[in-house]
Each structure stands twice: as structure tokens, then as C-alpha cells.
Amino acid sequence: MCVYNSIMKNHEKEMAHAKEQLERKSRECESLRKKLIEKNRQPLLEAQKNEHGQNNACKRSVVSQSSDLQLLKNENESLRKKNSQLEAQVKQFNTLKESKGPASEITLRIPCPEKSLFSNEIHDYLMATLYSALEKENQNFPKNKTDEHFRKQDVLNAILSSKNFRWEQTETNKKLSNVYTALHNHKKYEYGKLQACGFKKKENCKNHLKYYFVLNRYQLTFSLSPSDGNASKQQCREIKQRCFLIPEL
């Protein structure tokens, strides 16, 4: 379906371009035609005044303009043929689309004024949330009644069996793994790894450090000397809640 849409868009662009060229060439043809008519209307005596000078130049100009007009007519005809070919291809694609029946892929458009902080941040969150909800729905159907069919179950099985999204491969999950690595040692946090994940130092205080995650409004406070493992776990939980889009998996 995506390939079909892309081809259709390219054809539509080509058709629009061809029509634009056709209109421009038609205007040029009309302009030259008017000039030729104007030249032919000049009085005969005026054309004969300088038989070996201006008259010859006028004749050359008329011949040149006639030649240009013919070239434009040829280009016009070529553009008309190309336009007809493109229209025929569009009709062919539409017929093919109708013959194939329902699309095998569904595209959802979900408006979201908030921009992603890093690659596919919001997209991955929505995908993970959707698949997680569908998997929970699918678990509610009886597994031992193979002779009974439910429309919802058929659709869910079809979607889940074609799933090519993996939360483990997302940029969000990779950043979280790096955060855990940076904070797992309760004796010394690795702030360099946090900065590589998008955390930036805001200010140094007497007993703690202040960081923010990408945008200044997502702020966190880190202890200069973490006391124990529980402090590290608490720090990780706060980061997950405050800074990342984590679906209910």
C-alpha cells in the first residue's frame, strides 16, 4: 500500500508538471501566432522601402518565428501525449487497487503537538502500548476451543502474528539500559554515561548535582555520594517516571 501511494504521488506530480508545461507552451504558441499576424498586417509599401535591407531582415524574422512556432507546436503535442499516458497509468493503478480489495496494512494518524526528544521516541511508545493492549485482549479468549471462531480473535491473531516491532530494539530501551549501567554502582555514579543519554548538568550544589533531561523542565537531583543500592534503584525509578515514555508491558 505504501509503495502504491508513493507511485501515485509521483504520477500526480508528473501530471501536474506536464499540465503546467503544456499551459506555458500553449501561451508561448499563442504569443508567437499573434506576432506573426501582426507582421503580416504591415503595409506592403513599408515592406518594400528597403528591398535589400529591412525587407530581408523582416523576412528572416518571420521565418525564424515560424520555425519557433512549429517547435512549440511539436513540444505541445509531445506534452499532450505524455499527459494522456500519465492519466491512463493513474486509471490503471486505481483499477488495480480496487481489484485487490481491502488493504493489508492499516495506517493510523495520531496528532501530537509534542515533538520527540530523540529518534522515534513517541512512535515507539505508541506502538509498544498498542501491541501490549492487543496481547492482553488476545489472552482473554479460550485456548481449548479450536472449533469456535471469534472475529476479534481472528483479527488479533493476524495483527500479532505479523508484528515486526520489538521494544527491546527501541532507542528508549537502549537509553534506559545505559542509565541503569551508569547508576548500578551505588558507590559512584557514572555521570559521563548519563550525559551520553541526553542528561545535561544544570548546576553544582554543596551536597548534590542537578541535571535535566534534554529539556530544562525535566530536572533531576543526584546525590554526590550515593549511600546504598536502594538509593540507586530509587534514582532509576525517578528517571523512568520523569524522563522516559515507558509503556505498560
Side-chain angles (χ1 to χ4, degrees):
M1 186 64 180
C2 292
V3 174
Y4 169 80
N5 289 337
S6 177
I7 293 174
M8 286 292 294
K9 286 182 180 179
N10 289 335
H11 276 292
E12 288 173 0
K13 288 181 181 179
E14 287 187 23
M15 285 181 65
H17 182 63
K19 287 181 179 179
E20 183 182 345
Q21 285 184 307
L22 185 59
E23 292 174 358
R24 180 168 56 83
K25 295 297 182 182
S26 297
R27 290 195 297 270
E28 291 179 5
C29 282
E30 181 63 19
S31 177
L32 279 174
R33 189 182 66 79
K34 289 180 179 179
K35 287 182 180 179
L36 281 172
I37 292 173
E38 189 64 29
K39 289 287 183 182
N40 291 330
R41 285 179 178 174
Q42 290 182 359
L44 182 60
L45 291 176
E46 185 67 23
Q48 292 175 343
K49 280 185 179 180
N50 293 313
E51 187 175 352
H52 300 293
Q54 294 180 355
N55 192 38
N56 290 337
C58 182
K59 286 181 179 179
R60 287 194 297 272
S61 176
V62 171
V63 170
S64 176
Q65 290 183 1
S66 297
S67 177
D68 290 343
L69 181 59
Q70 186 59 45
L71 287 174
L72 286 171
K73 286 182 177 179
N74 293 339
E75 288 185 32
N76 249 352
E77 184 61 27
S78 176
L79 286 170
R80 288 182 190 278
K81 289 181 180 179
K82 184 177 181 181
N83 202 28
S84 298
Q85 291 173 353
L86 288 171
E87 287 178 347
Q89 288 179 354
V90 169
K91 289 180 181 179
Q92 184 180 0
F93 276 117
N94 285 333
T95 303
L96 182 63
K97 177 185 176 183
E98 291 173 1
S99 65
K100 285 186 174 181
S104 59
E105 181 175 314
I106 300 172
T107 301
L108 299 177
R109 295 184 62 85
I110 304 176
C112 179
E114 188 71 27
K115 304 300 181 183
S116 292
L117 299 182
F118 50 84
S119 176
N120 289 329
E121 179 205 17
I122 298 175
H123 170 273
D124 290 342
Y125 167 68
L126 293 175
M127 291 288 285
T129 301
L130 174 61
Y131 278 120
S132 177
L134 294 178
E135 287 169 353
K136 290 178 181 177
E137 281 264 295
N138 201 34
Q139 291 173 0
N140 295 328
F141 289 98
K143 306 299 181 183
N144 57 347
K145 295 184 179 181
T146 56
D147 58 332
E148 293 185 8
H149 289 274
F150 302 88
R151 178 57 180 161
K152 184 188 288 187
Q153 189 175 27
D154 288 343
V155 172
L156 290 174
N157 284 334
I159 293 174
L160 295 174
S161 63
S162 303
K163 175 183 174 183
N164 57 6
F165 172 82
R166 295 290 180 273
W167 172 256
E168 296 78 14
Q169 299 173 359
T170 63
E171 188 67 22
T172 299
N173 190 63
K174 292 176 182 177
K175 288 184 181 294
L176 278 172
S177 297
N178 290 334
V179 167
Y180 294 154
T181 301
L183 302 179
H184 84 286
N185 188 343
H186 65 271
K187 294 182 179 179
K188 184 180 180 181
Y189 291 158
E190 298 182 51
Y191 294 108
K193 290 185 177 180
L194 288 176
Q195 290 175 329
C197 293
F199 291 87
K200 299 179 182 179
K201 187 180 294 186
K202 181 174 176 60
E203 60 180 294
N204 288 333
C205 299
K206 184 176 181 181
N207 296 318
H208 59 268
L209 300 173
K210 279 196 174 182
Y211 279 75
Y212 64 90
F213 181 67
V214 185
L215 300 179
N216 194 51
R217 62 177 180 265
Y218 306 123
Q219 296 187 17
L220 294 156
T221 301
F222 293 88
S223 173
L224 287 175
S225 55
S227 56
D228 54 29
N230 288 331
S232 300
K233 292 178 181 179
Q234 177 59 35
Q235 195 76 67
C236 289
R237 284 195 293 269
E238 185 178 359
I239 289 175
K240 284 180 63 177
Q241 293 174 355
R242 190 182 296 271
C243 304
F244 289 97
L245 299 176
I246 310 297
E248 295 292 332
L249 299 176

